[in-house]
Amino acid sequence: MQQYSEILRSYDINPSYTRLLIYQYLKEVRSHPTAEEIYRAILGTLPTLSKTTVYNTLHLFTEKHLATMIMMDENETRYDLITKPHAHFKCMNCSKIFDVAIEPPAIDAAFLKDYIVEDAQLLYRGFCPECKKTL
Amino acid sequence: MQQYSEILRSYDINPSYTRLLIYQYLKEVRSHPTAEEIYRAILGTLPTLSKTTVYNTLHLFTEKHLATMIMMDENETRYDLITKPHAHFKCMNCSKIFDVAIEPPAIDAAFLKDYIVEDAQLLYRGFCPECKKTL
DNA sequence: ATCATTGCAAACACTTTGCATACGC
DNA sequence: GCGTATGCAAAGTGTTTGCAATGAT
């Protein structure tokens, strides 16, 4: 986990044990988890963990541009480490989320001149191969 | 409002007065309102309106594919009538939402073969011209 | 000793649910 | 009168807040 400490430090985040665990989870599981999922996953390793700390940490990661919030249905915020831009596909039946190898299109120059674009998200919704069968 | 009745009927929605008012609001205001905003706006015309009815109606519209839910920050669901696909830009400072004349890219054929894509959303976040100045 | 980090409990905001009332044909 | 539409109040869910406790240097 030593290398993760360095990463956190490079984002100006003090690498506490809790933060490392959360970072590791995001890094290794890569499933766009909700705060709840992260909380439950890490409870096994760190039974004293509180949900507040998970939220604190995720806010911190977002603020420092290490992670990004992604909004999907059902009013649950999910989190993803910032890597290269990509799209998400969410199955309307089983709620699974799939990464799609497609980049959000660049916004046109005229718009860019007046606005500052920090982040782009591309979300597709529909039915995954499994759920498609049952329709 | 006669023509609106026809539209609702064509989506297999019984055009009650309440539903017409909500449809009209979505149609004429076009600002991707939240349920709360719709509720407050229509209260003036229909003081007995309840928020439950607003939610009922929005769910009905969504189910019948007349409207679509769009998810943004802050865990608030916004609603938009389904027109042609377009993108949204949300100011991270003032929270205003701007329509962007750009289409979500078509998902590639290989993906399409296995999945059913019902809906695409493209969301940009950043700072609008007004808020840009104050940074 | 000081400052940062964590955690609890309560508050909050948005949405849904269950059921009762009212409305339209 | 029967089925649909509406509305109230309560519950539910995810998130935030205030503050106290703990930890690190």
Side-chain angles (χ1 to χ4, degrees):
Chain A
M1 245 160 51
Q2 185 52 38
Q3 75 277 26
Y4 291 164
S5 290
E6 289 315 315
I7 295 172
L8 293 196
R9 253 189 273 274
S10 74
Y11 281 89
D12 191 27
I13 295 164
N14 191 2
S16 73
Y17 182 52
T18 309
R19 288 169 182 172
L20 281 170
L21 286 177
I22 293 177
Y23 178 77
Q24 178 181 233
Y25 186 75
L26 285 170
K27 183 91 178 176
E28 292 174 5
V29 175
R30 309 247 60 191
S31 60
H32 319 91
T34 60
E36 179 72 30
E37 284 162 10
I38 297 167
Y39 170 68
R40 278 210 292 267
I42 297 180
L43 254 195
T45 316
L46 188 66
T48 61
L49 180 68
S50 89
K51 233 186 257 183
T52 305
T53 301
V54 175
Y55 281 111
N56 285 342
T57 305
L58 291 171
H59 287 160
L60 181 68
F61 284 6
T62 303
E63 218 168 78
K64 300 292 191 184
H65 297 99
L66 172 58
T68 184
M69 299 189 187
I70 54 187
M71 315 294 153
M72 307 217 162
D73 304 61
E74 293 148 32
N75 279 67
E76 43 182 28
T77 306
R78 293 173 175 275
Y79 296 84
D80 198 7
L81 291 182
I82 294 178
T83 50
K84 56 174 170 296
H86 62 282
H88 299 112
F89 175 90
K90 172 155 181 174
C91 178
M92 291 160 83
N93 184 244
C94 68
S95 295
K96 281 211 196 77
I97 291 157
F98 302 83
D99 281 345
V100 182
I102 192 170
E103 265 193 50
I107 212 159
D108 75 88
F111 192 92
L112 269 176
K113 204 157 57 70
D114 300 323
Y115 292 75
I116 300 172
V117 180
E118 294 266 322
D119 178 39
Q121 281 181 24
L122 181 50
L123 171 66
Y124 294 93
R125 287 185 291 194
F127 298 95
C128 73
E130 274 312 303
C131 295
K132 186 181 168 183
K133 291 177 202 159
T134 71
L135 289 183
Chain B
M1 238 154 61
Q2 185 52 39
Q3 73 278 24
Y4 292 165
S5 290
E6 290 314 316
I7 295 172
L8 293 196
R9 254 189 273 273
S10 76
Y11 279 89
D12 191 28
I13 295 164
N14 191 2
S16 74
Y17 182 52
T18 309
R19 288 170 181 172
L20 281 169
L21 286 176
I22 293 176
Y23 178 76
Q24 178 180 235
Y25 186 75
L26 285 171
K27 182 90 178 177
E28 292 174 5
V29 174
R30 312 245 59 192
S31 59
H32 319 89
T34 60
E36 179 71 30
E37 282 161 13
I38 297 167
Y39 170 69
R40 277 209 293 268
I42 297 181
L43 254 196
T45 316
L46 187 66
T48 61
L49 181 68
S50 90
K51 232 185 258 180
T52 305
T53 301
V54 175
Y55 280 112
N56 286 341
T57 305
L58 291 170
H59 286 160
L60 181 67
F61 284 7
T62 303
E63 219 168 77
K64 301 290 190 183
H65 297 99
L66 173 58
T68 185
M69 300 189 185
I70 53 186
M71 314 295 152
M72 307 216 161
D73 305 62
E74 290 148 35
N75 280 67
E76 44 183 27
T77 307
R78 293 171 176 274
Y79 296 86
D80 198 7
L81 291 181
I82 294 177
T83 51
K84 55 174 174 294
H86 62 281
H88 299 112
F89 175 91
K90 172 155 183 174
C91 178
M92 291 161 82
N93 185 244
C94 67
S95 296
K96 280 210 197 76
I97 290 157
F98 303 83
D99 280 346
V100 182
I102 190 170
E103 265 192 52
I107 214 160
D108 75 87
F111 193 91
L112 269 177
K113 205 157 56 70
D114 300 322
Y115 293 74
I116 300 173
V117 180
E118 295 266 322
D119 178 39
Q121 281 182 24
L122 182 49
L123 171 65
Y124 295 92
R125 287 185 289 194
F127 299 94
C128 72
E130 274 313 302
C131 295
K132 185 181 168 181
K133 289 178 202 158
T134 70
L135 291 182

